[in-house]
Amino acid sequence: MLAVTVVASLAAAPRAAAQDGELRAYRIPEGSADQVRIDGLLTEELWTRVPAASGFVQREPDEGQPATERTEVRIAYDDEALYVAVMAFDREPERVVARVLQRDKLMESDFFGGGMRFAGDDAVAILLDPFNDDRNGVVFATNPNGAEFEALVSDEGREFNIDWRGVWEVAGTRTEDGWSAEFAIPWRTLRYPDGSPDQPWGLNVFRSIRRKSEDVLWQSWQREGGGMQRVSRAGDLVGLEDLPRQGMNLQAKPFVLTGRRQEVNDADALDGSTERAGGMDLKAELRPGLLLDLTYNTDFAQVEVDDAQVNLTRFDLFFPEKRDFFLENSGIFQFGVASNPFEPPPFLMFFSRRIGISDDGEVPIIGGARLTGRVGGQTLGFLNVITDEAFDLPRESFSVGRVKRDVGESAYIGAMVTDRRSSDSWNTAAGVDANWTIGNAWVWQSYAAQTFTQGGISGYSYRLAYDYTGESWGSYFTHMGISPDVETEAGFTVRTDYRRTESYASRRWRPESLLGLRDVFVFAGGAYATTVADNRFQDWVGGFAVNPTWESGDNIMVYFNGAETVLDESFELTDSIEVDPGRYRADHIGWFAGTAPSRWMSLSSNGQVARFYGGHLLSARGTLSLAPSPQVALALGYTRNDVEVLNGAFVADIYSIRAAYSFSTKLSTNVLVQYNSLDDAFSTNVRLNFIHRPGSDLFIVFTENRGDERPLWNVMDRGLVMKITYLARL
């Protein structure tokens, strides 16, 4: 009865009203009996005295209309933490969808970029912009199960870093009126300026009502130039007075590791070795918002292995960064072109996976330092990491310097320098870039970069691009060039001597009462590429795509492209098949499709049929995802590539099983099993993670690889590692 009574009081309290676009935080008096119990139940009497943000507005499906279900958000604080209470009313509480219990699974980057979206549950996300810089923010999200999710937003969504981890608590629960949640975010997790008590923070709240495929926001609900990632269009959180200053806010996170590893030797036998290691990460806030991170004897044994891929190009594959040390504030070091669902990034001046990872295996990291954050109107980033000798590689130093200067409301101009050097070689890159918005939805980006390598070799790259995303119309344009002698040894470059111009236009229709459709998205355009050195033709592509989405959340996209490519030099497609130089047609038709992720069983698929270097390519991928309960998640994946070229043919199959069991929000087990028929390689990765206290983990990780140049069931290597970390806030 108490919970029902308090909720009724919250709904009726006349003081629980915020001004439009502004919410006042409630200061819990020092020595007061008022306390917030993080149990998800808004039973504390203090919540009846706290003003509420309400009046949420739909972004989908009916832009500008009031949300069909009421949401109220209240914020209080004391000397320890910021507390957020969310009451997500629902007139059909039994239909609330909550299948996720595991950490970091609630949200994901939008498939085509341009923001963030909820993966499949009813959920609420809180965006905070403590510096009120209208560019960068931090997101905390949860669902009725109390699953934890946090992320960093940089440059109004240019990067959405879902791999960052903060120290905070949350609990959620179902109620008779819907569901509710309580957040406790320690001040030591948030970075904020000294400032005056009159300085507001940026604040926004995003809710998903999954069974209706309804997205509602407190502010920035507009389709044109809106969305959660548009930090400049957030509301204001006011009333934060006398916030604690933590001095240097020093944090120490030591780790110890022990394990056993076996590897095949030259005699085709397994050699075993015992691993014992220890190390330390230190974090200090030198001044408000400016963080110094130090790491010694860095280890990443707990990081999940990469997904298996088959490379059907003559270029390097691109794998995302997953290691903790390189994730926080990683958006500061973004310079170049981000990856998209169809291709890897053409040019990145800095790519952190160049550090500590080689083609032959992991390279030991001796130590490193990183300084990142805000100083006045500048965003700064400096990084230096030293790696040890390994696999015939010498000891190396990787350095990055980055500065971005705020211009106007949400634009910036910036510069960056990267350097990789050893005792016998060096490579340096430097460049300037800019990002600005015209109106609400015209986002322009540009950069110019120069690279220098020992021996006097230098190269350059440049880009000018815009992206317009309106309610019904959209367009995209980019022109970029990469000279023949570009070397980014601390970054990532797909190909050199390449100039490309690309343009697309799109139209979105929202038919009423037609076959259950929510919208139909159509886009068309193409690209043309030549060499930089002598303007020789390299590639062209042009076509269109149709993407209907249903009210249920089901969707399919079908596309067709005519294309042609020139191969100047031969390359090995596999160990036994070489593709000859020549000019080839590359026409292709393909699809992306998926059922609504809110269902306990969902299916996604993509693939293409293409003319491929004088032959054909049939590529298809499907994933069946099962979530029968919040504790259990299972994904069965299959990819097939049927390839025929002039000099041969092959079939490559990849099978994968990804399973997770969450005992609670603090204890989970993940299993990833993969088989690649092309390499005849079988791999297993099992990870148990126990969060024994906030910010502190126990990992037990088993890895094993079989086959890959040996008979399939013969072990290549295996290892069992236990790693424990402990976060101490000094």
Side-chain angles (χ1 to χ4, degrees):
M1 284 296 296
L2 179 60
V4 175
T5 301
V6 171
V7 168
S9 299
L10 291 176
R15 288 171 296 178
Q19 297 181 27
D20 185 31
E22 179 180 287
L23 177 64
R24 180 164 293 275
Y26 174 79
R27 173 82 186 200
I28 301 175
E30 188 174 352
S32 167
D34 289 336
Q35 290 185 346
V36 179
R37 296 181 302 276
I38 305 302
D39 56 10
L41 293 168
L42 310 187
T43 54
E44 297 88 339
E45 193 271 337
L46 76 89
W47 290 126
T48 65
R49 301 193 297 272
V50 180
S54 58
F56 282 61
V57 178
Q58 294 184 48
R59 192 166 195 248
E60 294 289 348
D62 298 318
E63 180 192 22
Q65 295 300 307
T68 61
E69 304 292 346
R70 189 155 50 99
T71 308
E72 293 182 349
V73 178
R74 292 170 168 82
I75 295 181
Y77 67 101
D78 58 20
D79 289 337
E80 299 299 323
L82 185 76
Y83 305 100
V84 182
V86 178
M87 184 62 225
F89 292 94
D90 199 305
R91 285 166 289 186
E92 297 179 278
E94 71 282 357
R95 297 185 64 189
V96 169
V97 178
R99 304 193 188 283
V100 175
L101 186 61
Q102 191 175 359
R103 188 184 182 109
D104 298 332
K105 301 299 182 182
L106 281 178
M107 300 186 78
E108 59 192 8
S109 298
D110 197 344
F111 183 78
F112 289 105
M116 59 192 86
R117 64 182 183 183
F118 288 104
D121 276 11
D122 278 72
V124 166
I126 311 296
L127 170 76
L128 296 171
D129 173 15
F131 285 87
N132 204 30
D133 65 8
D134 292 335
R135 294 162 176 81
N136 309 299
V138 58
V139 173
F140 300 94
T142 195
N143 66 352
N145 298 328
E148 300 173 16
F149 178 93
E150 67 270 83
L152 297 176
V153 178
S154 301
D155 297 326
E156 298 215 274
R158 187 181 181 193
E159 186 189 54
F160 182 42
N161 184 348
I162 65 176
D163 296 306
W164 171 73
R165 285 189 63 181
V167 178
W168 59 294
E169 294 182 72
V170 69
T173 188
R174 295 174 183 264
T175 72
E176 295 179 0
D177 298 289
W179 64 279
S180 57
E182 288 177 305
F183 301 70
I185 308 169
W187 295 117
R188 302 189 70 168
T189 296
L190 297 168
R191 316 297 175 191
Y192 52 90
D194 282 322
S196 68
D198 298 328
Q199 176 66 40
W201 288 18
L203 170 69
N204 207 354
V205 186
F206 182 19
R207 179 184 175 187
S208 170
I209 306 171
R210 180 47 60 191
R211 72 179 183 280
K212 302 179 183 181
S213 296
E214 183 176 330
D215 290 340
V216 300
L217 292 100
W218 180 51
Q219 304 294 319
S220 191
W221 44 263
Q222 298 85 355
R223 290 175 182 149
E224 180 172 324
M228 184 75 159
Q229 77 282 358
R230 289 302 302 270
V231 183
S232 62
R233 304 187 72 171
D236 290 331
L237 176 63
V238 300
L240 297 173
E241 301 179 355
D242 300 322
L243 299 185
R245 292 259 50 98
Q246 305 289 347
M248 290 189 65
N249 194 4
L250 184 63
Q251 299 179 21
K253 193 171 185 178
F255 79 86
V256 293
L257 176 150
T258 184
R260 180 76 176 170
R261 184 166 186 81
Q262 293 179 307
E263 293 183 332
V264 171
N265 59 25
D266 294 337
D268 210 28
L270 286 173
D271 283 339
S273 61
T274 299
E275 297 183 20
R276 295 186 183 90
M280 173 80 75
D281 291 339
L282 294 173
K283 183 187 296 290
E285 192 168 9
L286 301 184
R287 55 169 292 165
L290 187 62
L291 303 179
L292 174 65
D293 291 272
L294 303 174
T295 183
Y296 170 70
N297 199 24
T298 317
D299 175 83
F300 304 107
Q302 77 278 10
V303 176
E304 185 183 61
V305 299
D306 294 316
D307 291 335
Q309 299 183 38
V310 173
N311 191 356
L312 298 177
T313 74
R314 57 196 187 273
F315 311 115
D316 291 339
L317 291 173
F318 182 80
F319 295 94
E321 179 61 86
K322 299 180 180 181
R323 298 170 296 172
D324 292 345
F325 178 76
F326 296 106
L327 292 175
E328 184 172 4
N329 289 335
S330 62
I332 293 175
F333 300 106
Q334 175 77 28
F335 186 108
V337 187
S339 60
N340 63 55
F342 300 100
E343 61 183 15
F347 178 89
L348 289 176
M349 189 184 293
F350 176 64
F351 182 44
S352 57
R353 283 182 64 110
R354 294 294 187 217
I355 305 174
I357 299 176
S358 75
D359 293 337
D360 297 310
E362 183 177 331
V363 177
I365 293 178
I366 298 173
R370 180 183 59 204
L371 182 69
T372 56
R374 297 277 299 179
V375 176
Q378 287 75 230
T379 300
L380 304 177
F382 300 96
L383 180 144
N384 179 253
V385 178
I386 306 297
T387 59
D388 209 350
E389 299 177 4
F391 310 112
D392 296 325
L393 293 173
R395 180 174 293 190
E396 292 186 292
S397 171
F398 295 80
S399 301
V400 186
R402 175 66 151 146
V403 61
K404 295 194 289 186
R405 170 67 182 178
D406 298 347
V407 177
E409 187 173 306
S410 59
Y412 76 80
I413 57 173
M416 193 163 90
V417 178
T418 66
D419 184 81
R420 178 177 181 174
R421 65 182 57 224
S422 65
S423 58
D424 55 8
S425 67
W426 60 267
N427 172 257
T428 300
V432 294
D433 65 340
N435 189 98
W436 67 99
T437 302
I438 299 176
N440 291 326
W442 291 85
V443 180
W444 288 78
Q445 297 175 350
S446 62
Y447 77 78
Q450 188 85 25
T451 68
F452 309 90
T453 305
Q454 186 175 14
I457 300 173
S458 65
Y460 63 87
S461 177
Y462 63 89
R463 178 177 185 250
L464 176 66
Y466 80 77
D467 186 2
Y468 170 75
T469 304
E471 178 185 354
S472 300
W473 290 95
S475 64
Y476 168 81
F477 169 83
T478 182
H479 175 74
M480 70 171 301
I482 304 173
S483 74
D485 297 322
V486 161
E487 290 283 349
T488 52
E489 295 183 9
F492 185 91
T493 301
V494 173
R495 61 193 295 187
T496 59
D497 195 12
Y498 192 64
R499 181 190 294 117
R500 179 182 174 110
T501 302
E502 184 175 4
S503 182
Y504 284 88
S506 64
R507 177 74 164 90
R508 188 183 299 273
W509 286 272
R510 301 179 184 274
E512 295 184 5
S513 304
L514 176 63
L515 303 176
L517 286 169
R518 167 165 292 185
D519 62 56
V520 178
F521 181 65
V522 177
F523 66 92
Y528 187 85
T530 66
T531 60
V532 172
D534 53 10
N535 204 37
R536 285 183 296 106
F537 168 74
Q538 291 289 283
D539 306 288
W540 72 263
V541 61
F544 65 91
V546 180
N547 177 200
T549 300
W550 283 264
E551 293 287 356
S552 63
D554 302 330
N555 76 92
I556 184 170
M557 183 178 77
V558 179
Y559 61 90
F560 170 79
N561 284 312
E564 195 171 15
T565 187
V566 168
L567 187 63
D568 293 321
E569 298 178 355
S570 63
F571 76 99
E572 290 186 349
L573 189 58
T574 69
D575 292 339
S576 59
I577 298 176
E578 187 172 272
V579 179
D580 297 326
R583 185 163 178 157
Y584 297 96
R585 293 292 302 188
D587 310 323
H588 52 281
I589 185 170
W591 74 91
F592 290 86
T595 60
S598 58
R599 299 190 178 102
W600 76 271
M601 180 172 63
S602 61
L603 179 66
S604 63
S605 174
N606 65 274
Q608 64 171 306
V609 178
R611 298 171 70 174
F612 190 71
Y613 295 119
H616 74 263
L617 165 66
L618 170 61
S619 178
R621 178 179 182 179
T623 301
L624 176 66
S625 299
L626 307 172
S629 74
Q631 288 76 27
V632 178
L634 181 67
L636 308 176
Y638 172 64
T639 302
R640 184 177 184 86
N641 288 287
D642 186 335
V643 180
E644 179 182 333
V645 294
L646 297 177
N647 294 334
F650 67 90
V651 174
D653 296 316
I654 296 178
Y655 302 86
S656 67
I657 300 174
R658 190 182 295 272
Y661 187 86
S662 301
F663 301 89
S664 69
T665 58
K666 308 298 182 186
L667 177 61
S668 62
T669 301
N670 291 271
V671 179
L672 176 60
V673 179
Q674 301 180 96
Y675 171 68
N676 185 335
S677 70
L678 187 63
D679 299 327
D680 204 21
F682 187 91
S683 67
T684 303
N685 179 245
V686 182
R687 300 165 62 246
L688 183 144
N689 179 205
F690 173 50
I691 305 173
H692 56 90
R693 65 190 303 269
S696 305
D697 298 87
L698 168 67
F699 297 99
I700 299 176
V701 182
F702 172 77
T703 58
E704 183 181 79
N705 293 292
R706 294 174 178 266
D708 192 12
E709 301 179 358
R710 304 190 77 211
L712 175 60
W713 294 111
N714 288 18
V715 176
M716 285 289 292
D717 61 77
R718 66 159 64 103
L720 179 64
V721 172
M722 181 178 72
K723 178 180 178 180
I724 187 167
T725 68
Y726 183 89
L727 177 65
R729 291 184 153 179
L730 308 176

